[in-house]
Amino acid sequence: MKLQSLLLISLASAAMAAPSWWEQWTIKKHESAITVDDDQRLVQTAEDKAPFWTSEKERFSMLRNNIHYMDVTDTQDLGTNRVSALGKNTLPTSAVHQDKVARYIDLLSTANMEVALTEFTKFHTRYYKSETGHQSAQWLYKQISDLIEETEEDSDVSIRKFEHSWRQFSIIARFEGRNESLTNEPVIVGAHQDSVNMWLPQLRSPGADDDGSGTVTILEVFRALVSTGFRPHRPVEFHWYSAEEAGLLGSQDVAKSYEKKGVEVLAMMQNDMTGYVGPKTVESYGIVVDYVDEELTDLLKIYAEVYGDIPVHETKCGYACSDHASWAKAGYRSSFAIEAEFSETSPYIHTANDDISHINFDHMKQFSKLALGFAVELGYYKGEKF
């Protein structure tokens, strides 16, 4: 009986790992094209390992084998400008703005999130070098712009495109703070907008969970804040990064820019995969505890307990597993919340099956509550210890 069960599990795993027949046909059809357009990139897979050069085929093999990496071809100096910094800014140690958060929390809507994610996953792929990846970024930029233009409330908020050397741009929306002395100390709430199919970039990649869920999770928080005239003490920024799936390229570009400009980011929270709850999984926040800032992560757990309705489970995801790693490398405080313990996250990511049918929007709302608490609490934080 045990042998039979193991055999079934093995067959199921093989079925999940292998591409479908039509994906195999497409892979064979495009194989020569991939060889021709095979650029070499310098990647790093661990802090204690030297970077090495890879081909695109090798990087897709790493993706299929769940080997996380940072593409450091153009960012080998990331973090060097902050080596001599005197230390990180202080953080609060408790949640003290429940009354302010309550003003926004009832505005969070799963219906809004479902509409947005349904549209966002209609793009064939959001691969960062593809035309549809560029189109999806344009669509997202318009949604954010429309929210800003349509509000009748008094928020000092702006949006800009952060252009890269590839087609898909990153997006930064910023609420200005009322305290001029804190202008250079923003809070960042982030997610990545791109998707990828691990077998071939030309294949269908709806990316509903990875990371359409995180993208829409923070979009809904942004909508709630902008529609009610959010005026924090310090700037609060919402970032939607390009090219996370290609070695954190977009967030590294942004972090490098901030580092060079001397921006003293107070805290960064990444939202990557917030929508899946497994059939045998106890719904929870997965709070990542490796390669993150310990103090900020402790604070994130407090916010989850205060503003969420589900338990907190600590988890680890390894080196360079999402965009928070770019900010950590640049010397900033960063944190990461994910849908479950890492071993219980969605098995459908990086495939054509990562679609909206596997998304739990009530679960996504829990992460909107957490991101909202993070943005409001730290947005109103003046630097005092409490």
Side-chain angles (χ1 to χ4, degrees):
M1 184 65 180
K2 288 184 178 179
L3 180 62
Q4 184 181 21
S5 298
L6 288 172
L7 180 60
L8 288 173
I9 292 171
S10 177
L11 290 172
S13 299
M16 179 60 68
S20 62
W21 69 267
W22 61 269
E23 287 178 315
Q24 292 179 36
W25 176 83
T26 308
I27 291 169
K28 186 175 182 180
K29 179 181 177 183
H30 290 284
E31 189 170 16
S32 60
I34 288 295
T35 303
V36 171
D37 190 30
D38 209 13
D39 59 323
Q40 293 284 317
R41 304 289 297 183
L42 189 65
V43 305
Q44 188 169 16
T45 57
E47 284 183 323
D48 59 351
K49 292 184 179 180
F52 56 94
W53 290 97
T54 59
S55 67
E56 187 171 44
K57 280 189 174 181
E58 288 170 329
R59 293 191 297 278
F60 268 85
S61 177
M62 292 167 68
L63 182 67
R64 289 191 291 273
N65 287 286
N66 200 32
I67 299 173
H68 301 137
Y69 65 90
M70 294 184 77
D71 183 330
V72 299
T73 310
D74 304 313
T75 55
Q76 293 187 66
D77 60 343
L78 183 63
T80 57
N81 290 338
R82 290 179 55 81
V83 170
S84 60
L86 296 177
K88 298 174 182 177
N89 292 335
T90 59
L91 292 173
T93 56
S94 60
V96 298
H97 294 295
Q98 289 97 323
D99 56 334
K100 292 182 174 66
V101 175
R103 179 185 178 192
Y104 308 105
I105 208 160
D106 289 338
L107 299 176
L108 300 175
S109 165
T110 56
N112 287 339
M113 289 190 279
E114 184 169 1
V115 168
L117 190 56
T118 298
E119 291 302 312
F120 200 47
T121 55
K122 286 181 179 179
F123 294 95
H124 178 71
T125 180
R126 301 191 303 275
Y127 186 59
Y128 76 111
K129 291 193 287 188
S130 68
E131 178 57 29
T132 51
H134 181 244
Q135 291 169 0
S136 64
Q138 290 177 311
W139 178 89
L140 181 58
Y141 183 88
K142 186 177 187 305
Q143 307 312 302
I144 301 163
S145 297
D146 287 349
L147 289 174
I148 295 172
E149 292 174 6
E150 291 169 4
T151 185
E152 297 179 356
E153 297 297 327
D154 183 23
S155 282
D156 187 358
V157 59
S158 61
I159 182 174
R160 66 185 176 98
K161 297 177 182 178
F162 190 103
E163 300 286 355
H164 304 285
S165 61
W166 53 90
R167 287 282 283 159
Q168 187 184 64
F169 51 86
S170 295
I171 301 170
I172 297 175
R174 175 177 167 114
F175 290 93
E176 295 297 339
R178 291 179 292 176
N179 189 331
E180 291 185 4
S181 68
L182 300 174
T183 299
N184 198 44
E185 300 179 14
V187 175
I188 297 173
V189 179
H192 74 86
Q193 57 172 293
D194 62 313
S195 69
V196 69
N197 188 305
M198 63 183 170
W199 297 104
L200 203 67
Q202 290 93 335
L203 295 178
R204 170 82 170 124
S205 179
D209 192 35
D210 190 11
D211 183 30
S213 61
T215 290
V216 171
T217 288
I218 71 170
L219 178 64
E220 181 62 10
V221 175
F222 180 82
R223 185 197 64 79
L225 293 174
V226 79
S227 66
T228 49
F230 181 49
R231 296 296 302 273
H233 290 304
R234 68 174 68 242
V236 175
E237 298 184 353
F238 286 76
H239 292 192
W240 290 269
Y241 302 116
S242 168
E244 186 269 355
E245 301 288 7
L248 318 185
L249 287 174
S251 57
Q252 286 190 82
D253 250 5
V254 177
K256 183 178 179 179
S257 171
Y258 279 44
E259 179 191 0
K260 286 190 172 182
K261 292 177 181 177
V263 180
E264 294 296 326
V265 176
L266 175 68
M268 186 272 175
M269 174 192 177
Q270 177 70 352
N271 297 262
D272 191 349
M273 300 167 56
T274 63
Y276 179 79
V277 180
K280 296 182 179 180
T281 301
V282 176
E283 187 180 4
S284 66
Y285 291 112
I287 303 298
V288 173
V289 295
D290 61 336
Y291 298 98
V292 292
D293 183 84
E294 185 176 353
E295 284 186 80
L296 181 60
T297 298
D298 286 343
L299 185 60
L300 186 65
K301 288 187 282 188
I302 290 171
Y303 293 157
E305 290 165 356
V306 171
Y307 296 116
D309 308 301
I310 55 178
V312 170
H313 289 175
E314 294 185 354
T315 190
K316 295 181 178 180
C317 70
Y319 179 79
C321 67
S322 196
D323 292 307
H324 65 288
S326 299
W327 294 95
K329 186 175 180 180
Y332 297 110
R333 294 186 187 272
S334 66
S335 58
F336 179 20
I338 193 169
E339 60 204 10
E341 293 183 33
F342 209 70
S343 61
E344 298 177 344
T345 58
S346 173
Y348 304 106
I349 65 168
H350 303 155
T351 74
N353 294 321
D354 184 12
D355 58 37
I356 203 165
S357 68
H358 302 296
I359 296 296
N360 183 320
F361 288 96
D362 288 326
H363 193 51
M364 279 178 60
K365 187 175 180 180
Q366 292 295 328
F367 284 83
S368 288
K369 290 180 178 181
L370 177 55
L372 176 66
F374 185 92
V376 175
E377 286 280 354
L378 292 177
Y380 281 105
Y381 177 59
K382 296 179 182 179
E384 67 273 34
K385 199 79 173 179
F386 53 77

